[in-house]
């Protein structure tokens, strides 16, 4: 009898343990919410688990998942947004959240679908509302990856000492449940929710040895402070391919806007070449910008073709001087200076003229030729700065803080912020090594630039 009791207790323990062990398989049967604890407006409609309105939530009833691949199909309608949570508890207050948001009009435009919220926020919209898309979330040890429709969008390794603000203190890897949450006014639908438990041992120490030191990383601090982390001015040049750029973007956590040089004598010279280029780039994980080159670009490309980009920018480095000579300010042989003060006034005049062109952003701002650049503050007087500021305000242009030349200076940025001008951060890389936006971030801190001060691209899908 005693042996039977011990056997029964052992069997009961095994059954309890087995129930708590995470299992691979379907988490939603397409019929009911029997596997989920729900709150708010949660229903099953047309074989899809549907969360409607803010505060709707479905939390998996059991399963302590650590290493896994979670696959699901998702669709949002107008106003539908929320997140998929993993390593969650019964209140979904711990663990990570992967954003669901396909609303290109959302004021918070830097947390689109696939974002690993607070550590890898994404500015690119990949899918449209009312369109089913596939999401896959994978956790192996300290490595987290997210895919949208089979394309990688996030690759993140949690370091030994993650940088977390108080608001994001619970965004840490551990183990736990899955949760689906709705935060918008519309609907989110889920179907084909399946998990594959990964059982192979992972060398977490080796993973973390390759991770970013977040205590000394300014990029994670921007994500944690809810700031749009976007390099608005990246070129595929110097050996940088779109594949390399995508990998580099995921590694650093900086979203990229890729811009071809468009104009006579540049890689793209007509409308047909614009459309051919965009056909190869629209599905890539980048915002797509256009750099107008020379002063002829306005008539070289039609307004309709230009409008196919998410935004357009240009600079004032190329112009015709008062004697009709073509000037490119970065080429010393094309800079003819007889009187420096008069030449400076000419530069200001040309900038104000360029700002009348149909662009969204003024880049390489207030650049000076090499023979004058070492006296930048001397030439950029209060009066000259104010004249350009007034032209920026009048034309509604955003202002780039440029990494290649570390311009404009702090005094100009402060004036621009006071005038309500929007900003962009731009590497303007000439090699395959894109910056980590060091100058831009320093100026943002010193000048008090916030997320609301940043220019918002008109993103197209």
């Amino acid at each position: 009898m005693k042996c039977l009791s011990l056997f029964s207790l052992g069997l009961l323990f095994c059954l309890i343990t087995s129930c708590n062990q995470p299992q691979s398989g379907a988490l939603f049967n397409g019929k009911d919410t029997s596997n989920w604890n729900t709150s708010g407006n949660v229903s099953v409609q047309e074989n899809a688990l549907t969360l409607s309105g803010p505060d709707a939530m479905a939390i998996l009833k059991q399963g302590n998942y650590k290493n896994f691949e979670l696959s699901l199909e998702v669709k949002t309608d107008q106003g539908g947004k929320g997140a998929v949570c993993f390593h969650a508890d019964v209140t979904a207050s711990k663990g990570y959240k992967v954003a669901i948001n396909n609303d290109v009009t959302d004021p918070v435009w830097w947390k689109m679908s696939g974002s690993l919220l607070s550590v890898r926020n994404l500015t690119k919209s990949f899918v449209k509302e009312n369109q089913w898309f596939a999401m896959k979330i994978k956790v192996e040890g300290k490595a987290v990856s997210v895919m949208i429709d089979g394309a990688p969008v996030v690759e993140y390794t949690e370091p030994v000492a993650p940088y977390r603000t108080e608001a994001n203190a619970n965004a840490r890897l551990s183990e736990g449940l899955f949760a689906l949450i709705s935060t918008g006014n519309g609907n989110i639908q889920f179907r084909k929710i399946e998990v594959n438990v990964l059982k192979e041992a992972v060398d977490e120490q080796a993973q973390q040895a390759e991770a970013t030191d977040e205590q000394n990383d300014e990029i994670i601090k921007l994500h944690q402070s809810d700031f749009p982390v976007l390099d608005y001015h990246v070129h595929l040049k110097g050996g940088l391919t779109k594949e390399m750029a995508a990998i580099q973007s995921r590694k650093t956590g900086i979203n990229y806007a890729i811009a071809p040089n468009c104009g006579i004598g540049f890689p793209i010279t007509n409308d047909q070449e614009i459309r051919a280029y965009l056909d190869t780039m629209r599905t890539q994980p980048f915002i797509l910008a256009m750099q107008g080159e020379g002063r002829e670009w306005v008539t070289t490309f039609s307004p309709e073709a230009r409008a196919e980009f998410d935004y357009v920018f240009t600079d004032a480095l190329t112009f015709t001087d008062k004697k009709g000579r073509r000037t490119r300010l970065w080429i010393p042989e094309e800079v003819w200076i007889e009187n420096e003060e008069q030449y400076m006034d000419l530069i200001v005049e040309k900038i104000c003229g360029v700002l009348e062109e149909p662009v969204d952003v003024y880049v390489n701002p207030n650049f000076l030729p090499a023979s004058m650049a070492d006296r930048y503050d001397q030439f950029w007087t209060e009066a000259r700065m104010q004249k350009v500021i007034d032209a920026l305000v009048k034309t509604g242009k955003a202002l780039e803080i440029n990494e290649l030349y570390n311009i404009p200076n702090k005094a100009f940025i402060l004036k621009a912020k006071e005038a309500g001008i929007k900003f962009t951060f731009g590497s303007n890389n000439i090699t395959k090594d894109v910056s980590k936006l060091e100058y831009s971030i320093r100026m943002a801190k010193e000048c008090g630039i916030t997320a609301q001060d940043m220019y918002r691209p008109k993103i197209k899908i």
Side-chain angles (χ1 to χ4, degrees), residues 251-416:
K251 179 178 176 60
T252 62
I254 303 173
N255 296 277
Y256 286 171
I258 302 293
N261 301 94
C262 302
I264 296 173
F266 288 89
I268 292 180
T269 60
N270 56 53
D271 285 4
Q272 292 72 28
E273 289 174 353
I274 281 181
R275 296 189 172 102
Y277 169 82
L278 291 175
D279 284 344
T280 69
M281 294 293 289
R282 191 63 75 193
T283 59
Q284 297 298 310
F286 312 115
I287 289 173
L288 301 177
M290 171 186 181
Q291 179 163 4
E293 296 285 2
R295 305 278 60 90
E296 308 89 357
W297 74 273
V298 176
T299 54
T300 301
F301 306 100
S302 70
E304 294 77 16
R306 302 194 305 258
E308 294 189 35
F309 287 94
D310 297 327
Y311 60 96
V312 180
F313 61 78
T314 194
D315 58 36
L317 274 61
T318 302
F319 56 83
T320 301
D321 72 8
K322 293 187 181 299
K323 294 186 177 180
R325 296 171 295 195
R326 185 191 187 196
T327 296
R328 290 176 289 183
L329 287 178
W330 71 95
I331 301 177
E333 293 76 21
E334 293 187 9
V335 176
W336 298 275
I337 302 174
E338 297 173 359
N339 179 294
E340 287 185 332
E341 290 296 326
Q342 291 178 0
Y343 198 81
M344 186 66 209
D345 289 336
L346 174 65
I347 290 174
V348 171
E349 175 189 321
K350 295 300 182 181
I351 291 172
C352 293
V354 166
L355 290 175
E356 296 288 341
E357 295 178 356
V359 297
D360 303 292
V361 185
Y362 166 48
V363 305
N364 299 319
N366 303 3
F367 179 92
L368 294 181
S371 61
M372 299 169 64
D374 61 341
R375 291 165 289 157
Y376 191 97
D377 293 342
Q378 172 187 327
F379 290 114
W380 278 108
T381 62
E382 288 285 326
R384 286 167 178 153
M385 286 194 291
Q386 194 59 54
K387 188 171 183 179
V388 175
I389 293 290
D390 290 343
L392 284 164
V393 171
K394 175 188 172 185
T395 59
K397 303 297 190 288
L399 174 70
E400 177 182 78
I401 302 176
N402 183 274
E403 294 294 316
L404 182 61
Y405 302 114
N406 286 3
I407 51 177
N409 62 3
K410 181 178 177 179
F412 192 87
I413 294 170
L414 284 169
K415 278 184 169 293

Side-chain angles (χ1 to χ4, degrees), residues 130-291:
N130 296 304
Q131 173 181 306
W132 284 103
F133 67 96
M135 176 182 287
K136 180 177 286 187
I137 302 167
K138 183 176 182 179
V139 177
E140 282 187 294
K142 298 298 181 180
V144 181
S145 61
V146 181
M147 301 181 77
I148 298 290
D149 284 337
V153 295
V154 167
E155 292 173 349
Y156 172 71
T157 301
E158 185 182 271
V160 174
Y163 177 86
R164 298 291 182 268
T165 61
E166 184 177 352
N168 299 306
N170 291 330
R172 299 286 295 267
L173 291 173
S174 56
E175 54 189 19
L177 301 166
F178 299 115
L180 311 173
I181 61 175
S182 172
T183 58
N185 294 319
N187 300 311
I188 310 177
Q189 292 189 293
F190 302 89
R191 68 185 185 188
K192 299 182 182 179
I193 308 172
E194 300 176 352
V195 65
N196 178 34
V197 175
L198 304 177
K199 297 181 178 180
E200 288 189 16
V202 179
D203 188 342
E204 295 183 0
Q205 288 186 334
Q207 289 179 321
Q208 291 181 319
E210 300 296 322
T212 300
D213 174 12
E214 291 187 352
Q215 299 303 315
N216 295 294
D217 180 52
E218 294 296 333
I219 302 306
I220 190 69
K221 294 175 183 178
L222 288 181
H223 283 293
Q224 289 280 300
S225 65
D226 206 10
F227 193 100
V229 185
L230 174 63
D231 189 329
Y232 292 75
H233 189 165
V234 178
H235 294 301
L236 297 180
K237 60 175 58 172
L240 183 67
T241 65
K242 61 185 179 183
E243 293 80 12
M244 292 167 61
I247 292 170
Q248 189 165 283
S249 172
R250 293 195 298 272
K251 179 178 176 60
T252 62
I254 303 173
N255 296 277
Y256 286 171
I258 302 293
N261 301 94
C262 302
I264 296 173
F266 288 89
I268 292 180
T269 60
N270 56 53
D271 285 4
Q272 292 72 28
E273 289 174 353
I274 281 181
R275 296 189 172 102
Y277 169 82
L278 291 175
D279 284 344
T280 69
M281 294 293 289
R282 191 63 75 193
T283 59
Q284 297 298 310
F286 312 115
I287 289 173
L288 301 177
M290 171 186 181
Q291 179 163 4

